[in-house]
Amino acid sequence: MNAANRRRDDAIADFSRRLVEVDGTVKTVYVAGTGPAVVLMPEMPGISPDVLRFARWVREAGLTVYVPSLFGVDGAYPTAEEGREVVRRACVSAEFRAFAGGGTSPVTAWLRGLARRAHAECGGPGVGAVGLCFTGNFALTMALEPAVIAPVVNHPSLPLDDPAALEIGDEDARAVRDRVVRDGLKVLAYRFDDDRWCTGRRFAAYRKLLGDAFDGRVLAGSSARTDPPPFFDEVVASPHSVVTAHLVDEDGHPTLAARDEILAFLTDRLRRPGQTASRQAP
């Protein structure tokens, strides 16, 4: 696929578009597929065609994918400056805690409610949660919801100003750690080795919190796509998005292998033999 075609905006025509209310707050959510549910959160600066490509892979794996709109223009590849403006708005929004000391982002309470609803709609043993970049750690915080049993933390970038910190309040961190220990959850995570937004110090903080339950996998930055969309090329300016903007869709490539590992992690935990039968989301 050439660069011009790869960067074409996505009409999202093969997803149902819903308005979902949780505790009085309404957000747009794109839903597709059958089987147990996975909540796939967008990376900065929004639900790009690359995020939607990953969502379709989740759908093709026999799962129902829920993609909530949290920022940006749904389906678009923004310019670098448009992306910067999305970041600026998110950083001052009351829904997000982008900087150290801010604690847990309030939007994760809404996301946990979405996971509960998705589980009720789709059945199965539980729900997967996949965070990307700005939302990377949200997948961990969502494990405070008992329905979430398969958290995937991809290149978590928050807090932006402290590479050794995690975007989570102390009380929530203890509660997540207790849940992981009590229920035997595993947390799968990915980053590139030279990612300036998600460093080895951040993965070390996850390991300190979660111990052996944290499965942090590191890819060589040299394996990242070299011609990502403008925001990633000009603003992110380092290998970062393992299974979206910096993925190389070629057989045998390390980033495609990471995609396959994530899909296997989700299907193994959500489609276990003998569990409650799944059903299509209405």
Side-chain angles (χ1 to χ4, degrees):
M1 182 181 293
N2 64 42
N5 287 335
R6 186 172 61 82
R7 292 175 185 169
R8 189 173 296 155
D9 289 352
D10 193 317
I12 327 183
D14 53 333
F15 290 70
S16 66
R17 182 181 183 274
R18 305 183 189 175
L19 295 178
V20 177
E21 184 271 330
V22 176
D23 296 333
T25 298
V26 177
K27 294 184 183 295
T28 298
V29 180
Y30 299 90
V31 184
T34 59
V38 174
V39 177
L40 172 63
M41 292 159 279
E43 65 187 352
M44 192 60 66
I47 303 175
S48 71
D50 292 325
V51 171
L52 290 163
R53 176 179 60 178
F54 188 82
R56 292 182 177 104
W57 283 327
V58 173
R59 177 185 65 192
E60 290 163 9
L63 301 167
T64 306
V65 63
Y66 289 68
V67 188
S69 179
L70 302 180
F71 37 71
V73 178
D74 300 341
Y77 277 128
T79 65
E81 186 49 45
E82 289 167 343
R84 287 189 183 96
E85 181 56 31
V86 175
V87 175
R88 284 192 285 266
R89 290 197 299 268
C91 285
V92 299
S93 168
E95 289 194 301
F96 304 106
R97 297 289 183 264
F99 302 105
T104 303
S105 289
V107 73
T108 57
W110 188 93
L111 291 165
R112 293 197 297 272
L114 175 62
R116 286 193 298 274
R117 176 169 298 189
H119 189 214
E121 290 177 349
C122 298
V127 175
V130 181
L132 303 165
C133 177
F134 202 83
T135 67
N137 190 68
F138 295 178
L140 179 67
T141 312
M142 285 177 68
L144 292 170
E145 163 55 44
V148 174
I149 62 172
V152 183
V153 177
N154 284 297
H155 48 276
S157 61
L158 301 186
L160 297 173
D161 57 342
D162 187 348
L166 303 180
E167 178 273 332
I168 190 169
D170 292 343
E171 183 176 349
D172 285 344
R174 289 190 293 269
V176 166
R177 182 183 58 209
D178 291 347
R179 163 111 202 267
V180 165
V181 171
R182 181 178 66 251
D183 295 344
L185 294 189
K186 295 292 183 182
V187 178
L188 185 59
Y190 287 85
R191 71 177 188 89
F192 287 112
D193 60 6
D194 53 353
D195 185 350
R196 69 192 185 104
W197 301 101
C198 180
T199 68
R201 295 172 65 192
R202 179 151 296 147
F203 267 31
Y206 278 106
R207 172 71 67 174
K208 182 178 180 180
L209 175 65
L210 301 172
D212 291 341
F214 179 70
D215 184 359
R217 304 183 184 186
V218 182
L219 279 65
S222 59
S223 67
R225 178 179 284 278
T226 57
D227 63 337
F231 176 81
F232 294 89
D233 187 33
E234 301 176 34
V235 180
V236 176
S238 79
H240 181 59
S241 299
V242 173
V243 294
T244 50
H246 287 105
L247 178 139
V248 178
D249 192 1
E250 296 175 357
D251 288 345
H253 195 274
T255 56
L256 203 63
R259 177 209 65 178
D260 291 344
E261 290 164 3
I262 292 171
L263 295 177
F265 176 82
L266 294 170
T267 56
D268 177 65
R269 283 153 180 78
L270 301 179
R271 297 183 62 84
R272 294 172 182 165
Q275 296 283 355
T276 303
S278 302
R279 51 189 178 273
Q280 183 170 4

